[in-house]
């Protein structure tokens, strides 16, 4: 009886791991790509990357270490594009693990107060590969980070909101903006 229970627990664990791995390597994201964008665009300071500006959002002008900073008109949500400085040798070694490295840095920064990551996923869209994960930031705001490479530059796109009820729509919008990249630059 004990052996059967042990085998059952092992089966359940392996099944959960299997479904987690499938989810993490999907070609589709758990979020949609159909939010409303305007015809206005904004440009990266680091590359020729351009994105469409969402409806009811604006571009912040004071961007210290942020490449593109979008703010919702009610000031409750933001989407920030940052370039990640990675030495070319390290980037070759860590390209596939960059999201894992970023997650470890976030976890270490929070220390014992960290509540964990959710919705970890890798997905493809418009010929680009994206790695994404979610967590609750230091101000208790839902946050989603997406990491991708554009013309040999790694970008980190951070979406966060103070309004928990808008979390899904914000993360859908984040995907929609990312999908728009190739439609402008090609």
């Amino acid at each position: 009886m004990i052996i059967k229970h042990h085998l059952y627990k092992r089966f359940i664990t392996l099944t959960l791991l299997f479904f987690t791995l499938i989810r993490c390597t999907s070609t589709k994201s758990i979020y949609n790509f159909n939010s409303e964008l305007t015809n206005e665009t904004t440009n990266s300071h680091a590359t020729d990357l351009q994105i469409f500006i969402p409806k009811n959002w604006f571009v912040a002008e004071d961007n210290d270490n942020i490449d593109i900073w979008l703010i919702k008109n009610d000031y409750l949500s933001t989407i920030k594009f940052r370039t990640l400085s990675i030495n070319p040798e390290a980037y070759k070694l860590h390209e596939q693990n960059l999201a894992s490295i970023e997650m470890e840095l976030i976890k270490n920064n929070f220390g014992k107060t960290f509540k964990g990551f959710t919705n970890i996923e890798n997905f493809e869209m418009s010929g680009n590969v994206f790695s994404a994960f979610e967590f609750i930031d230091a101000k208790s705001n839902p946050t989603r980070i997406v990491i991708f490479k554009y013309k040999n530059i790694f970008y980190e796109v951070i979406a966060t909101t103070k309004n928990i009820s808008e979390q899904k729509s914000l993360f859908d919008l984040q995907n929609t903006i990312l999908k728009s990249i190739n439609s402008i630059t090609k």
Side-chain angles (χ1 to χ4, degrees):
M1 187 69 121
I2 293 173
I3 293 173
K4 285 184 180 179
H5 180 68
H6 175 70
L7 289 174
Y8 177 75
K9 284 176 65 175
R10 190 171 183 183
F11 172 76
I12 294 298
T13 302
L14 290 173
T15 302
L16 289 173
L17 179 62
F18 174 75
F19 284 114
T20 301
L21 289 174
I22 287 173
R23 185 167 164 234
C24 290
T25 58
S26 174
T27 57
K28 289 188 152 192
S29 174
I30 60 174
Y31 293 104
N32 296 316
F33 307 94
N34 55 359
S35 301
E36 191 171 354
L37 301 175
T38 67
N39 289 328
E40 292 180 62
T41 62
T42 188
N43 301 321
S44 163
H45 300 293
T47 67
D48 65 348
L49 180 138
Q50 286 183 306
I51 60 168
F52 284 108
I53 300 170
K55 185 176 181 181
N56 299 318
W57 287 65
F58 65 93
V59 179
E61 296 300 321
D62 188 16
N63 300 1
D64 290 337
N65 66 346
I66 300 168
D67 193 38
I68 300 172
W69 188 358
L70 301 172
I71 301 173
K72 191 170 180 186
N73 287 348
D74 64 7
Y75 295 92
L76 295 177
S77 301
T78 64
I79 297 175
K80 299 174 185 176
F81 281 70
R82 290 184 343 149
T83 57
L84 298 175
S85 299
I86 300 172
N87 124 3
E89 307 279 322
Y91 135 126
K92 287 178 186 172
L93 294 172
H94 299 291
E95 181 174 359
Q96 297 301 319
N97 299 321
L98 195 53
S100 298
I101 293 168
E102 186 67 17
M103 290 167 69
E104 192 63 32
L105 291 171
I106 290 168
K107 183 179 170 185
N108 289 338
N109 189 37
F110 275 85
K112 292 180 181 181
T113 63
F114 186 65
K115 295 179 176 123
F117 295 105
T118 59
N119 296 325
I120 300 166
E121 63 175 331
N122 294 312
F123 58 95
E124 292 181 40
M125 176 176 49
S126 304
N128 293 319
V129 177
F130 299 87
S131 297
F133 55 89
E134 297 173 35
F135 63 99
I136 302 299
D137 73 9
K139 296 178 183 175
S140 298
N141 299 321
T143 302
R144 180 176 185 240
I145 294 180
V146 178
I147 297 174
F148 72 100
K149 183 168 70 171
Y150 178 82
K151 295 188 177 181
N152 293 323
I153 302 287
F154 281 98
Y155 279 89
E156 175 181 63
V157 183
I158 307 158
T160 189
T161 184
K162 295 177 184 177
N163 187 346
I164 293 173
S165 66
E166 291 187 13
Q167 177 178 341
K168 182 184 178 325
S169 63
L170 175 64
F171 299 160
D172 286 344
L173 177 62
Q174 183 184 33
N175 273 4
T176 303
I177 291 168
L178 292 171
K179 185 178 181 184
S180 78
I181 291 170
N182 282 345
S183 65
I184 300 171
T185 57
K186 286 188 175 178

